[in-house]
Amino acid sequence: MKYVTLGRTGLNVSQLSFGGIPIQRADAANTKAVVDKLEEYGINYIDTARGYTVSEEYLGAALEGRRDKFILATKSMSRDRESMARDIETSLSNLRTGHIELYQLHNLPEKDIGKVFGPGGAWEALAEAKAAGKIGHIGVTAHSADALKILVEQYSDRLETVMFPYNIVEDQGRDVLALAREKGMGTIAMKPLAGGNLDDYALALRYIAASGVCDVMIPGMGSPEEVDRNAAVDLETSFTEAELEQCAAVRKELGTQFCRRCNYCAPCPNGIDIPSCFLMANYTKKYGLADWARARYDAMPYHAGSCVMCGACEKRCPYGLPIRDMLMDVARIFGR
Ligand code: SF4
Ligand code: SF4
């Protein structure tokens, strides 16, 4: 395993690290098996979030007796001082530790930046927790290129790391991430597999390593087999012309309007599981799994066809997807 320094945090982290979103779909025993694999391969950086339901708790339990082998990063969507202070305490308790190496402002959009860094904002709680030794470093995650630019250009003196989507089909952050690195910020690639939309995971991970703008990548891994699979990818050899052509073909096929399964659009007041609707439609279109996908789609309690077009989800999607139109396509595919 190759290790890199995460910007001026000085943390020595594995280039291939761990994203904790899929732990939400796992159970405690499976989480332990995943962490066993991380330890076996020397993958030492674990990223999770207050917002990933049970992820912090399961990881905390799985880390019992081996906390010192891992560097922990988590994050909170809190924007004000009080709720951020509460979230930091909850994270410490869930992760069963007295110190979290990196605490991040989660999914910070442009409109909330002033609030977070203003009087009574979340930044104050983070700075206090750092001074008290409860957290080691402070970072930020963002999904919008505009927010990323402001955060890197204006707040790099306070923020030690930045996490942004970076993969074969989403390299809109390339220049700003390079600038972040120049300014000494640690750079973390989120969604290296574009939310599961990139089938060739080896190509996807190698693309990020070759791009040279992200220190680490954190593919979500929900099973020991996924850890085996990703750990086997050779990130060291240089990218070939043929691989560049493969990437161009993937870009052409996938375009930009695809769901990354982040679930920020939830909750739908009509109970529609939006990313699962898109996932099942993809299975029918891309993989020829029409019967398999239809059975699962039919078993869902609410379907794309029950969308009442209120638009609430679209306001929350950080990628600006036309969710209503996309759901209409899904309803056409499945007839409900
Ligand atoms: S537009 Fe449709 S899917 Fe989106 S929140 Fe409203 S009802 Fe739910
Ligand atoms: S529709 Fe948008 S917000 Fe919802 S899961 Fe997909 S990418 Fe995320």
Side-chain angles (χ1 to χ4, degrees):
M1 188 57 57
K2 181 179 171 189
Y3 296 88
V4 296
T5 303
L6 187 60
R8 65 172 184 273
T9 67
L11 296 168
N12 192 36
V13 299
S14 48
Q15 184 181 28
L16 174 73
S17 284
F18 171 80
I21 285 189
I23 291 299
Q24 296 177 95
R25 299 193 292 269
D27 58 22
N30 186 62
T31 305
K32 186 179 172 304
V34 168
V35 174
D36 287 347
K37 279 287 178 186
L38 299 181
E39 188 177 352
E40 180 185 326
Y41 288 114
I43 297 173
N44 70 347
Y45 179 86
I46 291 179
D47 180 85
T48 179
R50 289 289 311 107
Y52 301 164
T53 62
V54 294
S55 181
E56 280 187 342
E57 282 170 83
Y58 283 0
L59 286 166
L63 288 164
E64 282 283 347
R66 50 181 163 180
R67 167 69 185 90
D68 57 333
K69 295 197 166 65
F70 293 94
I71 291 164
L72 297 185
T74 189
K75 44 195 170 313
S76 158
M77 299 274 278
S78 292
R79 305 296 186 233
D80 64 83
R81 177 183 179 165
E82 266 178 44
S83 54
M84 179 57 86
R86 262 197 312 274
D87 267 357
I88 293 168
E89 294 301 330
T90 305
S91 295
L92 288 165
S93 163
N94 284 344
L95 290 165
R96 305 187 188 188
T97 185
H99 178 80
I100 293 166
E101 281 84 356
L102 177 65
Y103 212 95
Q104 300 153 107
L105 291 150
H106 189 176
N107 186 21
L108 190 57
E110 202 179 341
K111 69 175 176 58
D112 287 349
I113 294 175
K115 181 173 183 185
V116 160
F117 291 99
W123 171 259
E124 291 180 356
L126 288 164
E128 282 163 17
K130 187 176 174 185
K134 293 178 180 177
I135 63 175
H137 306 277
I138 302 170
V140 69
T141 81
H143 290 79
S144 124
D146 291 339
L148 177 73
K149 193 164 186 292
I150 294 169
L151 291 163
V152 170
E153 287 181 350
Q154 298 178 29
Y155 295 92
S156 64
D157 55 335
R158 302 198 222 182
L159 299 166
E160 297 164 87
T161 64
V162 63
M163 188 200 291
F164 194 72
Y166 194 84
N167 54 60
I168 292 172
V169 290
E170 297 178 281
D171 67 352
Q172 67 277 14
R174 179 185 284 263
D175 292 347
V176 185
L177 286 167
L179 176 65
R181 261 189 144 183
E182 274 174 36
K183 286 172 166 259
M185 300 171 89
T187 53
I188 303 160
M190 76 161 91
K191 307 213 180 301
L193 304 178
N197 285 283
L198 300 175
D199 305 324
D200 190 339
Y201 53 88
L203 184 75
L205 299 181
R206 283 173 43 65
Y207 172 84
I208 296 167
S211 74
V213 294
C214 289
D215 297 318
V216 296
M217 60 193 87
I218 52 164
M221 297 182 250
S223 68
E225 294 73 26
E226 285 176 358
V227 184
D228 283 334
R229 189 193 72 182
N230 290 336
V233 176
D234 178 3
L235 299 176
E236 303 258 19
T237 52
S238 52
F239 222 54
T240 63
E241 275 301 315
E243 285 176 315
L244 283 172
E245 279 167 26
Q246 266 180 281
C247 291
V250 170
R251 256 179 234 119
K252 199 168 166 196
E253 190 201 328
L254 201 54
T256 53
Q257 285 200 349
F258 59 90
C259 173
R260 282 78 166 172
R261 295 182 216 152
C262 59
N263 213 28
Y264 291 133
C265 48
C268 161
N270 271 18
I272 301 168
D273 180 341
I274 296 167
S276 291
C277 286
F278 297 144
L279 181 64
M280 293 310 145
N282 267 354
Y283 277 130
T284 62
K285 286 190 283 192
K286 276 175 66 181
Y287 305 115
L289 293 168
D291 293 343
W292 184 92
R294 175 172 293 281
R296 273 150 192 80
Y297 185 80
D298 286 346
M300 287 163 57
Y302 304 99
H303 300 98
S306 47
C307 171
V308 295
M309 302 286 160
C310 70
C313 53
E314 289 183 9
K315 293 194 187 99
R316 293 189 287 259
C317 176
Y319 303 98
L321 295 182
I323 296 175
R324 289 173 286 189
D325 290 351
M326 290 167 70
L327 285 175
M328 280 172 63
D329 285 343
V330 176
R332 268 194 290 274
I333 289 170
F334 292 112
R336 60 197 297 194

